[in-house]
Amino acid sequence: MKRRRVLAGLAGAAASAAGCGAPGRGGGGRPGDPVVLTLLSHYATDPLKSALQRVVDEWNAAHDRVHVRTTAVRFQDLLTTLMVRQAAGQGADIIHPYSLWAGQLAQAGVVRPAPSGDAARIERGFARPAVRAASVRGRPLGYPTEVQSYALYYNKRLLRAAGLAGPPRTWRELEETAYRTARRDRHGNTLVQGFGLSRTDDSTVVNQTLALLASRGGSFLHPDGTHSALDSPAGRAVFALERRLIDRGASDPGIDLMKAFPAGRVAMAVSGAWWTGSLKQTMGRDYRDVGVAPVPGPAPGNRGTVTTGFLLGVNAKSGHQREAWEFLRWLNDEVVPAGPGAGRAAAVRATRMSVLQMSVGTMTGRTGDMRALLAAGGDQNLGPFVDALDYATPEPNGPRAQKAKALLRKNIEEMWTGRHPPDAAVRNAVRQIDQELSR
């Protein structure tokens, strides 16, 4: 009888929340009343959608008073959805934004720093780059999730066919490998790109370039985030490298990398850890040809790359801060056996979010969890991405970071298409980005 009364109360709370859509609406607002927390993410399709729902179902089954309800939109619509719903007083209690937007969301009052106890857990439990990516002014806004470092994907079969024993370790070797593996037909049509450049969206265009920039010792912005640092020897070298690969026929940005690499028509590309899950699903048995290595640097052993990610935080307007943070701790900080769904890693102890991310071919910023799950039979291609969290540079996330990134993408693509030579494209990017950051 008690259980039925609780469920009836939850149903009423859900109807109330659905009707007004406001965060923190649930029950009558009295202590002990049932609560329905809403969680907005970009996990709109499988396998991410089902993976998140499974852990939410687990929470709901174990908690009578506080239930969680997930909603999702496409990643391309997530920032707009967050801002519009917040302005309308309909923001979700728990939000899962791209960390690039952290400064913008904090400035708009959508999120605020995590409570001190959660901040301490985050700083203690996650790799430093992941914590920095989820922080504004040195204070974490939420738990880092779906952390993405960037590394070099390569096709082992294509490299072997070109007489190469392994992936490049330096920029010079990267160029040599790109030229040796590229192939064209007698009409000049591209059959195999030696090094693929993605034009899918802001993140793929910019982050592959920032990863190469970091490997060369450069950075996108100065430490205070107010000016671009791109006009440097490293910045000019990256732009010149990409242009040279295009001019010499090893790269063709007009070809969709996301289709060409799985089809075995690209020898190398720089991308994030998320791509492993996608490639595995798309390539089937051919995924065994895929290898991952650190982004090459100027000399063997030089290391540098970029890291991005998402964070799970609580809406500043939520009326149920305590319950929302309790759920996030349960999901991101409580260490439990991975369980039967993790296969050979069932006995490994990790957070629920780490198990979730590993199950879909990506990772959290908890390097201890990731290494334990990998050692128990996970995808070894994730190893270089986990290792990169020891040295990766977080993507800048100031209030105008998204617009600065879009400007950088525009100038990179104008350099690719030949509209501007590399040095001019760097100068244009710096001028436009500095103007944007000064607003």
Side-chain angles (χ1 to χ4, degrees):
M1 179 64 75
K2 179 181 176 183
R3 175 70 173 170
R4 283 200 295 273
R5 283 201 300 271
V6 169
L7 290 176
L10 285 169
S16 173
C20 67
R25 296 296 184 90
R30 297 179 296 273
D33 276 355
V35 172
V36 175
L37 300 171
T38 51
L39 188 163
L40 174 64
S41 77
H42 64 290
Y43 288 1
T45 57
D46 281 333
L48 288 166
K49 180 180 179 180
S50 296
L52 177 60
Q53 191 59 52
R54 278 194 293 274
V55 291
V56 168
D57 288 345
E58 181 186 345
W59 164 276
N60 288 339
H63 295 78
D64 280 344
R65 192 178 80 82
V66 179
H67 274 200
V68 177
R69 188 181 65 218
T70 61
T71 57
V73 297
R74 298 185 312 158
F75 171 71
Q76 297 93 318
D77 301 324
L78 184 57
L79 179 59
T80 300
T81 302
L82 285 166
M83 300 301 281
V84 169
R85 290 189 183 179
Q86 192 75 7
Q90 297 179 340
D93 296 288
I94 299 169
I95 60 175
H96 191 205
Y98 186 24
S99 54
L100 175 74
W101 310 328
Q104 182 178 349
L105 294 173
Q107 188 179 61
V110 180
V111 285
R112 56 190 177 199
S116 58
D118 290 280
R121 290 183 179 89
I122 293 165
E123 290 173 347
R124 186 172 59 241
F126 291 81
R128 185 63 185 153
V131 176
R132 289 175 58 194
S135 299
V136 171
R137 298 190 185 91
R139 300 182 66 184
L141 301 185
Y143 284 88
T145 66
E146 198 183 334
V147 173
Q148 303 291 337
S149 57
Y150 279 64
L152 182 78
Y153 286 84
Y154 61 97
N155 186 306
K156 299 174 188 174
R157 179 177 55 79
L158 293 176
L159 264 60
R160 280 197 304 270
L164 297 160
R169 298 167 303 161
T170 66
W171 272 33
R172 182 173 180 175
E173 291 179 0
L174 183 145
E175 279 202 75
E176 292 172 355
T177 302
Y179 301 142
R180 285 178 63 172
T181 51
R183 288 194 290 117
R184 290 177 179 265
D185 66 16
R186 62 191 178 90
H187 302 294
N189 299 311
T190 299
L191 297 176
V192 173
Q193 294 184 77
F195 187 86
L197 293 167
S198 175
R199 297 184 68 174
T200 302
D201 53 29
D202 290 352
S203 288
T204 59
V205 173
V206 171
N207 292 347
Q208 63 195 351
T209 300
L210 294 186
L212 289 166
L213 179 67
S215 78
R216 191 81 179 190
S219 59
F220 178 27
L221 301 182
H222 287 287
D224 64 5
T226 59
H227 295 83
S228 174
L230 199 60
D231 194 4
S232 64
R236 291 189 290 276
V238 173
F239 273 48
L241 169 68
E242 292 182 354
R243 185 63 242 177
R244 202 160 52 244
L245 290 167
I246 295 169
D247 289 342
R248 296 184 184 179
S251 299
D252 185 346
I255 296 175
D256 186 345
L257 176 65
M258 298 300 137
K259 294 179 180 177
F261 190 93
R265 294 190 288 114
V266 179
M268 298 180 294
V270 171
S271 191
W274 63 270
W275 208 22
T276 60
S278 172
L279 290 174
K280 192 181 299 181
Q281 195 170 37
T282 306
M283 297 177 71
R285 286 176 57 84
D286 288 342
Y287 181 73
R288 60 190 173 185
D289 290 332
V290 176
V292 176
V295 178
N302 287 161
R303 300 186 304 177
T305 189
V306 69
T307 185
T308 68
F310 289 77
L311 66 93
L312 269 167
V314 177
N315 192 320
K317 302 293 185 185
S318 172
H320 295 288
Q321 299 282 323
R322 183 173 61 81
E323 291 86 351
W325 284 111
E326 180 185 355
F327 170 73
L328 292 184
R329 283 193 293 276
W330 176 88
L331 180 60
N332 296 279
D333 193 62
E334 190 173 311
V335 175
V336 296
R344 285 183 290 175
V348 172
R349 294 182 62 81
T351 66
R352 294 178 176 87
M353 182 53 82
S354 291
V355 176
L356 183 164
Q357 294 294 335
M358 183 65 79
S359 73
V360 296
T362 181
M363 60 189 196
T364 64
R366 287 184 176 273
T367 52
D369 282 3
M370 293 298 103
R371 290 192 171 110
L373 290 165
L374 283 174
D379 182 356
Q380 296 305 302
N381 276 340
L382 285 174
F385 296 103
V386 176
D387 293 342
L389 291 179
D390 291 337
Y391 57 84
T393 302
E395 183 180 31
N397 66 359
R400 309 196 75 80
Q402 178 62 67
K403 292 187 176 180
K405 187 170 189 173
L407 288 170
L408 180 54
R409 175 191 182 177
K410 178 175 81 72
N411 282 281
I412 291 170
E413 291 187 329
E414 288 181 350
M415 177 269 292
W416 286 352
T417 58
R419 183 174 180 184
H420 298 295
D423 284 359
V426 168
R427 289 194 298 272
N428 289 341
V430 169
R431 176 176 52 77
Q432 294 167 16
I433 290 165
D434 284 355
Q435 187 176 24
E436 179 62 37
L437 294 175
S438 68
R439 294 178 188 274

